[in-house]
């Protein structure tokens, strides 16, 4: 069936998007505007289907994609759903697909995109909760599997460590880069293996496994080795490098996964010797 969209009358301009009509917002007075195309879908609503809806948003200096979404929510459609918190690139909550690339909405300047049409959607490789908000249950589950904390023999039962654990600056620098992870999930969204294998731990969890495994204060390698050296662990990575390309903090999780592979092999050889 072919859907034919008629031209709108001159006295009332309308934006037509895949059969859905959104009237021009009367509150827009700034002649410089952008078109914000947003993915809309509520899986729990009967007869609701995935669609792209276009909104006209006034352009201003320093406008971010998150600012544009907030303007739509406050002035046009308060039912629009997305996730955000700090608006400073620290919490990692506002991960979304912006013009096809996993990005943080609060750090993406509209002016730097070089287009008047900005397309926003939910992160790939995650289930949609509603609109741009996605389900991070599997993401956090994979993170918890690698035991993201220092493990010591003296606190095996959870007893607090009673002394300061010293390490040199060189020892700290071995893993410091990977402590900058804000758990935004962009790396997992960009990873092709995560898209094919839901049980794959993913670049975020594996890079953090290396971060704790290489820490001179940690004694939990035997416990983590069972998780990372498994069919869905570090050797499932095909080194696409897309995870590192989208990381907003320069953590380079792809590097962490490769270093983890080396660590696994080295300790296997040392154990056999």
């Amino acid at each position: 069936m072919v859907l034919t969209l008629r031209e709108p009358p001159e006295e009332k301009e309308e934006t037509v998007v895949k059969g859905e009509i959104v009237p021009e917002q009367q509150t827009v007075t700034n002649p410089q505007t952008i078109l914000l195309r947003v993915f809309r879908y509520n899986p729990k609503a009967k007869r609701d289907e995935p669609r792209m809806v276009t909104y006209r948003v006034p352009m201003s200096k320093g406008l971010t994609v998150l600012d544009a979404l907030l303007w739509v929510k406050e002035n046009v459609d308060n039912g629009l759903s997305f996730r955000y918190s700090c608006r400073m690139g620290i919490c990692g909550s506002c991960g979304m697909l912006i013009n096809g690339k996993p990005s943080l909405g609060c750090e993406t300047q509209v002016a730097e995109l070089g287009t008047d049409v900005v397309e926003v959607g939910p992160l790939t490789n995650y289930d949609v909760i509603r609109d741009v908000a996605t389900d991070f249950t599997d993401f956090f589950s994979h993170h918890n599997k690698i035991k993201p904390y220092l493990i010591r023999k003296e606190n095996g039962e959870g007893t607090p460590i009673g002394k300061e654990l010293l390490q040199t600056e060189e020892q700290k620098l071995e893993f410091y880069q990977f402590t900058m992870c804000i758990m935004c999930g962009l790396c997992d969204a960009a990873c092709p293996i995560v898209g094919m294998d839901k049980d794959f731990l993913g670049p975020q969890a594996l890079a953090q496994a290396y971060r704790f495994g290489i820490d001179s204060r940690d004694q939990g390698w035997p416990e983590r080795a069972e998780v990372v050296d498994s069919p869905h662990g570090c050797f499932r990575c095909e080194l696409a490098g897309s995870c590192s390309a989208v990381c907003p903090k320069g953590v380079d999780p792809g590097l962490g996964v490769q270093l983890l592979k080396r660590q696994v092999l080295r300790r296997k050889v040392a154990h056999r010797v």
Side-chain angles (χ1 to χ4, degrees):
M1 182 179 70
V2 178
L3 178 62
T4 304
L5 301 177
R6 61 183 178 81
E7 293 293 330
E10 295 182 358
E11 63 273 14
K12 184 179 181 181
E13 181 183 351
E14 293 176 318
T15 303
V16 182
V17 185
K18 292 187 178 181
E20 183 159 321
I21 302 176
V22 179
E24 182 186 26
Q25 292 85 50
Q26 300 300 321
T27 56
V28 178
T29 58
N30 189 340
Q32 294 184 342
T33 60
I34 61 166
L35 294 181
L36 187 69
R37 304 187 69 239
V38 185
F39 178 87
R40 302 299 307 273
Y41 177 50
N42 184 0
K44 294 184 178 180
K46 294 182 178 180
R47 300 181 181 180
D48 194 20
E49 296 182 357
R51 63 200 184 279
M52 298 299 293
V53 180
T54 299
Y55 304 94
R56 193 179 298 276
V57 179
M59 183 64 181
S60 59
K61 185 177 180 180
L63 182 74
T64 65
V65 172
L66 178 59
D67 290 334
L69 289 171
L70 287 169
W71 188 93
V72 171
K73 188 174 182 67
E74 293 171 0
N75 296 277
V76 183
D77 187 352
N78 57 17
L80 179 61
S81 297
F82 50 93
R83 187 179 287 117
Y84 73 101
S85 184
C86 73
R87 302 175 71 172
M88 298 174 63
I90 297 174
C91 70
S93 299
C94 62
M96 58 189 71
L97 214 61
I98 300 176
N99 287 354
K101 179 183 177 182
S103 310
L104 292 181
C106 68
E107 286 197 337
T108 304
Q109 294 280 330
V110 172
E112 295 178 358
L113 294 175
T115 176
D116 293 332
V117 180
V118 179
E119 192 167 292
V120 177
L123 290 175
T124 50
N125 301 336
Y126 296 88
D127 294 330
V128 174
I129 296 177
R130 180 171 176 175
D131 301 337
V132 186
T134 50
D135 188 352
F136 269 51
T137 300
D138 289 344
F139 176 86
F140 289 117
S141 174
H142 294 159
H143 179 75
N144 290 332
K145 282 182 180 179
I146 58 96
K147 300 182 184 297
Y149 43 82
L150 293 179
I151 299 175
R152 300 283 298 182
K153 294 178 181 179
E154 61 264 38
N155 71 331
E157 299 299 326
T159 304
I161 299 174
K163 62 179 181 179
E164 182 180 2
L165 301 176
L166 302 177
Q167 64 181 180
T168 66
E169 183 70 13
E170 290 73 18
Q171 289 173 326
K172 186 193 76 172
L173 291 177
E174 285 187 316
F175 64 84
Y176 179 74
Q177 168 183 344
F178 303 103
T179 67
M180 305 304 292
C181 174
I182 59 174
M183 300 181 68
C184 60
L186 301 190
C187 55
D188 279 29
C191 177
I193 306 301
V194 173
M196 296 187 294
D197 182 0
K198 291 297 183 182
D199 293 324
F200 175 51
L201 291 176
Q204 189 278 336
L206 290 171
Q208 292 307 297
Y210 175 75
R211 174 259 178 274
F212 286 99
I214 201 66
D215 194 321
S216 61
R217 302 166 296 177
D218 185 77
Q219 299 172 340
W221 175 254
E223 299 178 41
R224 294 195 187 90
E226 296 179 1
V227 179
V228 300
D229 187 15
S230 66
H232 304 288
C234 59
F235 291 103
R236 188 73 174 88
C237 169
E238 300 290 344
L239 192 54
S242 52
C243 56
S244 297
V246 301
C247 179
K249 295 300 178 183
V251 173
D252 197 356
L255 172 63
V257 178
Q258 306 318 305
L259 293 175
L260 180 63
K261 291 179 182 179
R262 185 179 69 177
Q263 187 181 28
V264 170
L265 294 174
R266 279 181 173 177
R267 300 206 179 192
K268 270 188 174 182
V269 172
H271 180 72
R272 290 177 181 177
V273 173

